[in-house]
Amino acid sequence: MADDSVLFREGLVRLLEDAGHDVVAAVGDAVLLRSAVAEHEPDLAVVDVRMPPGGTDDGAVAAVELRSAWPGTGMLLLSQHVELRHCLPLLGRPGFGYLLKESVLHLDDFDRALRRVADGGVALDPVVVQALVSGQSAPSVVGLSVREREVLALVAEGLSNARIADQLRVSDRTVEAHMRAVFTKFGLPDDGDTNRRVLAVLAFLEANSRP
């Protein structure tokens, strides 16, 4: 856990431990973050985007570097605002999350996001997804329809088919049909081994993060 705010850091550590997570280190700057990951090689690092020593995007920069050196460590970035510039290299890779700090208040959703990223999945704040899909490339991602992009954006937020169906006011079967269409357009056959939802989200994010 890396955050320069002592109150936020220690409070989050307590919440994580209460939820059954083993917090092996809690640090306040990007330099100590690098040392802690190198020492413990954790399943997951929860990193504030802005932290010392520079006070700008040091956390995001460190996360990119650490993920390259320790690809098995998931990276969950936290921020007050959407700041994607320095973490774009992580968007097209599994085991990555980007949440606004206010999401910590929703403890059950936050815990699910932590576990998903640690297991190699993706967890993105709805505001982050909206920032990604609002770009010019969004409408033409592999020929996806508007509804297919809406469904895939909600998958990127970590919603299940049932929750997506409820939010879009459609049936579960309709959501499943949209996802089958997405898998087909992305060329993701059901081989019984890979997680097609994660692969589809990664392809979606990679396409929408291109300049």
Side-chain angles (χ1 to χ4, degrees):
M1 173 64 208
D3 193 292
D4 62 315
S5 169
V6 176
L7 288 178
F8 182 84
R9 183 175 72 242
E10 295 305 316
L12 188 52
V13 167
R14 177 65 63 85
L15 290 174
L16 293 176
E17 291 178 337
D18 288 346
H21 299 282
D22 182 17
V23 181
V24 296
V27 300
D29 63 58
V31 175
L32 292 175
L33 167 63
R34 290 181 174 90
S35 298
V37 171
E39 178 181 354
H40 298 285
E41 298 186 26
D43 296 323
L44 176 71
V46 181
V47 181
D48 185 15
V49 168
R50 290 180 173 267
M51 62 171 54
T56 55
D57 296 324
D58 296 65
V61 172
V64 173
E65 294 174 358
L66 289 168
R67 188 56 191 280
S68 178
W70 286 275
T73 295
M75 291 290 164
L76 178 60
L77 301 187
L78 298 178
S79 180
Q80 297 282 8
H81 311 284
V82 179
E83 305 173 76
L84 297 173
R85 181 166 58 98
H86 286 297
C87 66
L88 287 178
L90 295 174
L91 284 174
R93 304 173 66 178
F96 172 70
Y98 194 119
L99 302 176
L100 297 185
K101 285 190 171 182
E102 64 188 36
S103 67
V104 176
L105 298 175
H106 307 285
L107 298 181
D108 290 341
D109 289 341
F110 183 65
D111 182 58
R112 283 191 289 268
L114 288 171
R115 297 179 187 277
R116 189 162 57 251
V117 173
D119 289 339
V122 178
L124 297 177
D125 196 282
V127 178
V128 175
V129 174
Q130 183 58 42
L132 286 168
V133 302
S134 63
Q136 294 182 350
S137 65
S140 61
V141 177
V142 198
L144 298 186
S145 69
V146 173
R147 180 61 91 183
E148 287 162 359
R149 286 189 288 109
E150 289 176 342
V151 169
L152 193 49
L154 293 174
V155 172
E157 295 173 22
L159 273 65
S160 66
N161 283 359
R163 292 183 64 190
I164 293 172
D166 182 64
Q167 183 159 326
L168 297 180
R169 299 183 182 278
V170 299
S171 68
D172 290 6
R173 183 170 295 181
T174 297
V175 174
E176 292 171 1
H178 286 311
M179 286 306 300
R180 285 196 298 271
V182 168
F183 296 148
T184 298
K185 292 178 180 181
F186 279 152
L188 297 171
D190 185 4
D191 58 10
D193 183 35
T194 57
N195 189 329
R196 292 191 297 170
R197 289 171 71 90
V198 172
L199 294 177
V201 168
L202 295 177
F204 179 63
L205 296 177
E206 183 177 10
N208 281 289
S209 64
R210 291 169 187 157

